[in-house]
């Protein structure tokens, strides 16, 4: 499948929940991430409007990106996780479309700081850079290049400190 630029994205609806679970189960090696999405949906860290799906032109949900509340030190921030795409639609832009739409929605809500623990060759395309540049650290050991952060408002400085994840993350 070729890369597409005309993906349809929108906020998750209740009707999408089974499809999202299926996407996350198909995209990861274990069911842990699918359980995490379900747990986050029931947690106070859930922010309506920041769970985004990618659809084909016929309306099939094929991708998902989720932003939930975390804190950097005492400052409210967002955590991007997980991002999932059905295997047959990976490397087509479906994941990128969901991430961009989620980040745009967060910016529209006045959110600023976003963190992600992910592949250092993928997330910089959205503007993410090493979190350590801002003095942001996760509460566990990870390679420095895998922990990234993004400021959505260039007029505001990034907070520094240790990331406090929502309880469902288990850290």
């Amino acid at each position: 499948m070729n890369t597409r630029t005309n993906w349809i994205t929108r906020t998750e609806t209740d009707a999408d929940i089974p499809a999202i679970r299926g996407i996350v189960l198909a995209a990861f090696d274990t069911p842990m991430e699918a359980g995490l999405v379900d747990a986050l949906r029931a947690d106070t860290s859930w922010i309506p409007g920041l769970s985004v799906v990618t659809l084909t032109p016929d309306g099939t949900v094929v991708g998902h990106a989720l932003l939930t509340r975390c804190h950097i030190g005492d400052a409210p921030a967002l955590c991007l996780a997980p991002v999932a795409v059905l295997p047959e639609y990976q490397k087509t832009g479906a994941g990128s479309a969901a991430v961009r739409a989620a980040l745009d929605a967060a910016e529209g809500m006045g959110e600023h700081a976003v963190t992600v623990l992910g592949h250092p060759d993928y997330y910089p395309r959205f503007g993410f850079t090493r979190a350590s540049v801002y003095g942001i650290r996760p509460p566990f050991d990870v390679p420095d290049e895998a922990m990234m952060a993004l400021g959505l408002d260039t007029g505001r400085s990034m907070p520094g400190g240790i990331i406090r994840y929502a309880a469902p993350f288990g850290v």
Side-chain angles (χ1 to χ4, degrees):
M1 183 166 288
N2 294 329
T3 299
R4 298 174 43 133
T5 56
N6 59 339
W7 286 106
I8 301 161
T9 58
R10 64 167 168 74
T11 301
E12 144 184 332
T13 66
D14 288 346
D16 297 323
I17 292 172
I20 292 168
R21 183 166 178 77
I23 291 165
V24 179
L25 285 169
F28 290 94
D29 294 333
T30 72
M32 186 173 68
E33 287 82 1
L36 175 62
V37 173
D38 293 339
L40 287 167
R41 197 178 277 115
D43 189 74
T44 59
S45 63
W46 186 265
I47 302 170
L50 296 185
S51 177
V52 174
V53 294
T54 306
L55 302 95
T56 62
D58 71 1
T60 303
V61 178
V62 299
H64 178 244
L66 178 61
L67 290 165
T68 54
R69 176 69 62 219
C70 70
H71 289 81
I72 300 171
D74 291 327
L78 298 173
C79 172
L80 174 59
V83 174
V85 175
L86 286 174
E88 61 268 31
Y89 290 92
Q90 292 176 2
K91 300 186 187 313
T92 66
S96 292
V99 170
R100 283 190 184 95
L103 292 172
D104 287 348
E107 184 177 11
M109 292 178 180
E111 296 287 343
H112 174 51
V114 183
T115 66
V116 67
L117 174 59
H119 201 286
D121 291 335
Y122 182 73
Y123 291 98
R125 73 183 68 187
F126 307 106
F128 284 93
T129 58
R130 288 180 189 224
S132 61
V133 169
Y134 305 106
I136 299 170
R137 301 176 317 280
F140 42 77
D141 289 331
V142 297
D144 187 53
E145 65 274 7
M147 187 78 248
M148 294 169 269
L150 169 67
L152 297 175
D153 180 352
T154 57
R156 294 168 59 188
S157 62
M158 289 289 283
I162 297 174
I163 302 166
R164 288 188 294 121
Y165 290 95
F169 281 95
V171 293

